[in-house]
Amino acid sequence: MVNWTQMHDCYGDVDRVPALLERVELEDNAEAWEELGYRLVLEHDLVFPAGFAALPRLVRLAARSARARGLAGAVLRRAAGHHGCDDLLADCADTIAEFRKLLDRHLQSRPVDYLATFLDSLAAKEEYHWSAVLGDFAELLSGRAGHWGAESAATRDRIRIMEHIHRTARREIRAAALDKEHT
């Protein structure tokens, strides 16, 4: 049983997450899901103690709710970060194993949300970094590089700039190496 009085969310509250979980368990309420997401995962990078505490309830809902599946996955994808909740994460081992099986079954159905489910599955298998790298790569390819939804034209410009910097740096390194050979 979770002691919610010790579980803060990203706003420091201890009572809002359990109330939101009860609300989404009773009905599929878009506003409650959105607020719950903001309270458990901040800025797409940080997860809070309440996120790990909510994980068992989210996984129970995940079999029938894409939002629960996505939010549980979002929590797990951030598990490798500096969250100070390793003990809470360790307590979720059985829940994570259950979630991994659920995700595998979902992937076998060839879902529309295949990529997100695959990234969540990698995180559930403790492949956090692969999940993150492949997610970033997929965002880059789709033209949404960065968490701010950059337009694909802006992304192409950034790629051109990075390629130019890379080519310039390679030329400078070669030139410096040639100078050393000649001296």
Side-chain angles (χ1 to χ4, degrees), residues 99-166:
F99 189 53
R100 192 170 40 245
K101 290 175 188 174
L102 184 143
L103 292 171
D104 285 344
R105 284 190 306 272
H106 186 63
L107 284 170
Q108 290 173 4
S109 72
R110 295 181 177 191
V112 173
D113 63 341
Y114 183 87
L115 180 60
T117 303
F118 179 67
L119 297 175
D120 295 347
S121 179
L122 285 172
K125 294 174 182 173
E126 297 183 24
E127 297 290 348
Y128 307 115
H129 300 295
W130 277 114
S131 176
V133 167
L134 291 175
D136 289 347
F137 185 67
E139 283 185 3
L140 182 65
L141 289 178
S142 70
R144 294 182 326 223
H147 297 297
W148 299 279
E151 295 296 320
S152 58
T155 302
R156 285 191 298 274
D157 288 344
R158 283 190 206 122
I159 291 170
R160 272 196 298 274
I161 290 168
M162 288 187 296
E163 288 172 341
H164 173 73
I165 290 169
H166 179 69

Side-chain angles (χ1 to χ4, degrees), residues 26-127:
L26 293 173
E27 64 175 315
D28 187 31
N29 183 294
E31 289 175 7
W33 278 114
E34 186 174 345
E35 183 180 350
L36 191 57
Y38 288 135
R39 289 183 174 276
L40 300 182
V41 180
L42 179 66
E43 295 295 325
H44 304 285
D45 292 326
L46 299 172
V47 65
F48 289 82
F52 295 115
L55 200 54
R57 290 172 78 174
L58 291 172
V59 170
R60 276 195 300 276
L61 289 170
R64 67 177 200 267
S65 169
R67 290 178 183 176
R69 193 174 53 249
L71 188 51
V75 168
L76 281 180
R77 285 193 311 268
R78 278 108 187 129
H82 299 288
H83 46 68
C85 304
D86 290 334
D87 56 331
L88 292 172
L89 181 60
D91 289 343
C92 291
D94 292 339
T95 299
I96 294 169
E98 179 184 337
F99 189 53
R100 192 170 40 245
K101 290 175 188 174
L102 184 143
L103 292 171
D104 285 344
R105 284 190 306 272
H106 186 63
L107 284 170
Q108 290 173 4
S109 72
R110 295 181 177 191
V112 173
D113 63 341
Y114 183 87
L115 180 60
T117 303
F118 179 67
L119 297 175
D120 295 347
S121 179
L122 285 172
K125 294 174 182 173
E126 297 183 24
E127 297 290 348

